């Protein structure tokens, strides 16, 4: 008994208010957390995209500049192909002029090395490397695919064809860049390596790594990776994805069109979200005092709200006492809901509740459709009238129902009646009272529903029936409906019923399969 007494209305409302406040605060905190998380992720994605774009542009400029150096030198070399010493001097100049290449060489049309720098050990030898074969075959500017040179290094070769003044192909001049070695390309791509695990890598069209901060991975092939798929398709942008180690990364990417490579700058998601803890601690600190004030206000308001409800609840527990009505009348509700509850309790103490309880399902239900029968309908109308609660009436009748029974038999007619009953349930609320008045005539009683709302319900039911096909027998039926409204100031319920029947008659008269409002 002690535990039940503690769960009175006042304590329950106070508990509900406090719990609701805490849930709202937790939800707000969570929403703030997710918003900050998305901001940090979006900022890092955009930062990585901007950096990938910047590096792609800088690398493109670097390769274009290197190709331009070779293009200029190719014109000079075309005049020196038969002068070995001058040819070696020009090759050495190209090598020393910038740090673009790890080595420079010139070959004839058969791939025989005519001059090389910094060492001349290859002079006189014929090259059969993929870079040499590609340059000799295409006889055009080439940035080769990576391959392993005789020294064991991963190499790419930039080459320019050499043509004589008359346009005859004489060979090519090429500059090699060792991948994963300390050179200009490596320095250009390595500036994005941070201690938080973020890094940049470059990949070619064959998914081979051109650059990676772990030099041992240069030359390896990247597996399934949506970021690599996108950048090698020529796309630029950013996305969240897992790297080959299964770590969630925030990647920005940009294509390097001049070489057909892709540049990817990425950072671990956890590293990007590291500031989130400090941010949320600040949010929690800023909201703690207002939260306590709000909870205190909610507790005070809950007590204020619960007072008249508690008094009404005490009256509800003693409805059988003669003085209860007087006690309920003395309750002073200060807000609308409590006032309406008090009014309803006073009006229905000795009538409405008693009549609703007396609606015995066996005696008042139509066996075929499961709806209220004529007796149940009369008791429901009496209870509604006694409660002085306004309601709408929708009278329903099946169009041309007699030929259905005459043509296909009463069993088919019964199935159609059951179909209409199910349709009425589909188009109504739980509190609505659905009746079968007799034969193919039905009635819907819609408590606290204005005429326009009842018309909407009637039209929805008419449309539902009219658009349904595949019924037994005729396959399709229509219905006519009449709508009226009753209020305590509007006369007797019988008058409202008569007006609904008249409206139904007008629907039949005006062509059937329609809804008419009582005039």
């Amino acid at each position: 008994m002690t535990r039940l007494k503690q769960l009175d209305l006042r304590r329950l409302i106070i508990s509900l208010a406090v719990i609701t406040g805490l849930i709202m605060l937790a939800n707000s905190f969570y929403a703030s957390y997710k918003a900050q998380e998305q901001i940090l992720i979006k900022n890092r994605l955009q930062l990585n995209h901007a950096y990938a774009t910047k590096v792609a542009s800088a690398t493109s400029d670097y390769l274009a500049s290197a190709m331009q150096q070779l293009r200029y030198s190719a014109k000079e070399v075309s005049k020196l192909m038969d002068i070995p010493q001058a040819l070696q001097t020009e090759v050495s100049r190209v090598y020393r002029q910038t740090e673009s290449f790890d080595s420079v060489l010139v070959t004839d049309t058969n791939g025989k090395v005519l001059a090389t720098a910094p060492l001349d050990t290859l002079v006189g030898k014929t090259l059969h490397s993929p870079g040499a074969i590609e340059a000799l075959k295409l006889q055009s500017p080439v940035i080769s695919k990576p391959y392993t040179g005789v020294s064991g290094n991963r190499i790419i070769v930039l080459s320019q064809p050499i043509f004589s003044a008359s346009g005859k192909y004489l060979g090519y001049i090429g500059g090699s860049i060792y991948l994963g070695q300390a050179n200009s390309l490596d320095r250009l791509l390595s500036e994005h390596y941070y201690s938080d695990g973020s890094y940049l890598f470059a990949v070619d069209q064959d998914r081979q790594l051109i650059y990676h901060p772990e030099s041992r991975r240069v030359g390896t092939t990247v597996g399934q990776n949506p970021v690599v798929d996108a950048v090698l398709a020529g796309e630029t942008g950013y996305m969240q994805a897992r790297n080959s180690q299964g770590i969630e990364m925030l990647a920005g990417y940009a294509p390097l069109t001049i070489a057909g490579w892709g540049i990817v700058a990425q950072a671990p998601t956890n590293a990007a979200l590291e500031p989130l803890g400090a941010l949320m601690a600040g949010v929690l600190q800023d909201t703690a005092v207002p939260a306590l004030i709000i909870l205190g206000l909610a507790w005070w308001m809950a007590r204020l709200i619960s007072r008249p409800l508690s008094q009404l609840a005490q009256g509800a527990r003693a409805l059988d006492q003669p003085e209860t009505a007087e006690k309920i009348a003395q309750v002073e509700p200060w807000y609308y809901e409590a006032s309406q509850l008090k009014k309803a309790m006073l009006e229905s103490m000795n009538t409405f509740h008693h009549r609703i309880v007396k609606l015995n399902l066996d005696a008042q239900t139509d066996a075929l459709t499961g709806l209220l029968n004529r007796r149940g309908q009369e008791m429901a109308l009496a209870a509604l009238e006694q409660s002085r609660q306004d309601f709408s009436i929708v009278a329903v009748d099946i169009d041309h129902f007699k030929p259905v029974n005459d043509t296909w038999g009463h069993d088919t007619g019964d199935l159609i009646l059951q179909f209409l009953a199910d349709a009425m349930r589909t188009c109504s609320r739980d509190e609505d009272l659905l009746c079968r008045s007799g034969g193919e005539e039905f009635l819907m009683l819609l408590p606290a529903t204005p005429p326009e709302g009842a018309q909407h319900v009637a039209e929805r039911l008419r449309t539902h029936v009219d658009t349904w096909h595949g019924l037994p027998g005729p396959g399709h039926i229509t219905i006519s409906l009449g709508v009226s409204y009753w209020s305590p100031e509007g006369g007797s319920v019988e008058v409202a019923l008569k007006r609904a029947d008249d409206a139904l008659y007008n629907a039949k008269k005006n062509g059937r399969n329609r809804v008419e409002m009582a005039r």
Side-chain angles (χ1 to χ4, degrees):
M1 291 297 293
T2 302
R3 289 180 60 84
L4 291 177
K5 185 176 181 181
Q6 290 176 347
L7 292 176
D8 59 26
L9 184 60
R10 180 178 63 84
R11 288 186 176 87
L12 186 60
I13 293 179
I14 291 174
S15 299
L16 179 62
V18 172
I19 291 172
T20 301
L22 290 174
I23 291 175
M24 291 180 64
L25 288 172
N27 183 66
S28 298
F29 186 80
Y30 177 75
S32 177
Y33 175 89
K34 297 303 290 184
Q36 292 291 341
E37 180 184 57
Q38 290 304 312
I39 290 172
L40 288 173
I41 289 175
K42 187 68 175 290
N43 287 344
R44 192 55 177 266
L45 284 170
Q46 292 176 338
L47 177 64
N48 286 344
H49 176 227
Y51 193 83
T53 302
K54 176 183 177 182
V55 171
S57 177
T59 306
S60 180
D61 291 344
Y62 163 79
L63 294 175
S65 176
M67 292 293 284
Q68 176 60 32
Q69 294 175 41
L70 294 176
R71 186 181 302 112
Y72 175 81
S73 183
K75 294 179 180 179
E76 297 299 317
V77 167
S78 66
K79 308 170 188 176
L80 307 172
M81 294 293 283
D82 297 326
I83 311 173
Q85 186 61 41
L87 185 62
Q88 181 63 47
T89 300
E90 175 61 19
V91 169
S92 298
R93 181 194 67 77
V94 174
Y95 170 73
R96 292 193 303 269
Q97 183 178 10
T98 66
E99 296 182 354
S100 299
F101 307 110
D102 291 299
S103 65
V104 180
L105 58 80
V106 173
T107 76
D108 62 12
T109 57
N110 296 317
K112 180 181 178 181
V113 178
L114 303 179
T116 181
L119 303 175
D120 58 1
T121 54
L122 292 177
V123 174
K125 296 182 179 180
T126 300
L127 298 180
H128 301 285
S129 65
I133 293 172
E134 187 176 11
L136 293 169
K137 178 181 179 182
L138 296 178
Q139 298 183 12
S140 63
V142 172
I143 298 177
S144 75
K145 294 182 179 180
Y147 65 91
T148 302
V150 294
S151 62
N153 294 315
R154 294 294 291 176
I155 298 173
I156 60 172
V157 173
L158 283 61
S159 63
Q160 289 283 357
I162 303 171
F163 292 99
S164 67
S166 61
K168 180 181 178 182
Y169 181 66
L170 303 177
Y172 73 88
I173 179 170
S176 62
I177 300 175
Y178 297 163
L179 302 180
Q181 302 294 323
N183 52 36
S184 297
L185 180 61
D186 185 80
R187 287 191 293 274
L188 184 64
L189 297 174
S190 64
E191 295 178 354
H192 194 67
Y193 182 73
Y194 299 119
S195 59
D196 65 356
S198 61
Y199 60 92
L200 179 143
F201 67 87
V203 62
D204 71 359
Q205 283 295 325
D206 294 329
R207 308 179 75 90
Q208 291 188 62
L209 287 172
I210 301 294
Y211 169 80
H212 193 280
E214 298 178 20
S215 58
R216 61 181 177 81
R217 295 191 60 186
V218 173
T220 61
T221 301
V222 179
Q224 186 62 35
N225 187 312
V227 176
V228 173
D229 295 341
V231 74
L232 292 183
E235 299 176 14
T236 180
Y238 52 80
M239 69 172 72
Q240 286 184 261
R242 293 187 180 277
N243 66 8
S244 56
Q245 281 75 45
I247 301 173
E248 187 75 30
M249 305 293 284
L250 305 176
Y253 50 90
L256 185 61
T257 307
I258 189 174
W261 301 348
I263 304 295
V264 179
Q266 59 185 18
T269 303
N270 290 339
L273 296 180
E274 188 173 344
L276 190 57
L279 288 172
M280 297 315 299
V283 171
L284 185 61
Q285 183 177 358
D286 292 340
T287 58
V289 173
L292 291 175
I293 294 174
I294 292 173
L295 288 175
L297 182 62
W299 179 82
W300 177 75
M301 286 297 298
R303 284 178 58 96
L304 199 60
I305 292 171
S306 69
R307 185 177 297 115
L309 295 179
S310 297
Q311 293 170 346
L312 292 173
Q314 292 173 3
R317 288 195 294 266
L319 289 177
D320 58 337
Q321 302 297 322
E323 68 276 8
T324 297
E326 182 179 355
K327 290 181 178 180
I328 291 177
Q330 293 174 352
V331 175
E332 297 181 357
W334 56 273
Y335 53 93
Y336 177 78
E337 286 77 6
S339 176
Q340 291 298 104
L341 180 60
K342 171 185 172 180
K343 178 182 177 182
M345 290 180 66
L346 291 173
E347 290 178 348
S348 63
M349 279 179 60
N350 297 316
T351 56
F352 183 65
H353 182 266
H354 176 69
R355 289 184 179 272
I356 293 298
V357 171
K358 289 178 63 179
L359 288 174
N360 185 293
L361 188 62
D362 293 335
Q364 300 161 19
T365 302
D366 175 57
L368 177 64
T369 62
L371 305 182
L372 293 177
N373 58 19
R374 172 76 65 173
R375 180 181 178 187
Q377 173 183 313
E378 291 175 355
M379 295 193 69
L381 286 168
L384 288 169
E385 184 177 25
Q386 185 66 38
S387 70
R388 300 184 65 77
Q389 180 182 19
D390 61 315
F391 63 95
S392 287
I393 302 171
V394 180
V396 186
D397 187 85
I398 300 176
D399 297 330
H400 303 299
F401 185 66
K402 186 176 184 302
V404 174
N405 283 330
D406 294 344
T407 305
W408 287 282
H410 288 279
D411 289 343
T412 298
D414 288 348
L415 291 175
I416 290 177
L417 292 174
Q418 290 172 339
F419 160 73
L420 179 56
D422 290 338
M424 292 170 64
R425 293 187 188 95
T426 299
C427 298
S428 62
R429 306 167 299 181
D430 291 341
E431 60 266 30
D432 296 334
L433 302 171
L434 310 179
C435 314
R436 181 187 179 194
S437 305
E440 70 272 23
E441 299 173 355
F442 295 80
L443 208 65
M444 301 176 73
L445 305 177
L446 312 178
T449 302
E452 58 272 13
Q455 183 180 17
H456 178 72
V457 172
E459 183 60 33
R460 185 166 69 241
L461 176 59
R462 185 201 67 77
T463 302
H464 180 85
V465 173
D466 186 34
T467 56
W468 192 278
H469 295 273
L471 291 173
H476 170 258
I477 63 169
T478 61
I479 57 175
S480 298
L481 306 97
V483 179
S484 69
Y485 176 74
W486 181 87
S487 66
E489 299 80 17
S492 68
V493 171
E494 287 73 16
V495 172
L497 285 172
K498 178 64 168 55
R499 295 175 67 227
D501 285 336
D502 291 343
L504 175 60
Y505 173 78
N506 288 334
K508 294 282 190 181
K509 179 181 176 182
N510 292 331
R512 294 183 170 83
N513 191 23
R514 60 187 292 116
V515 177
E516 291 285 349
M517 297 292 296
R519 300 191 177 109

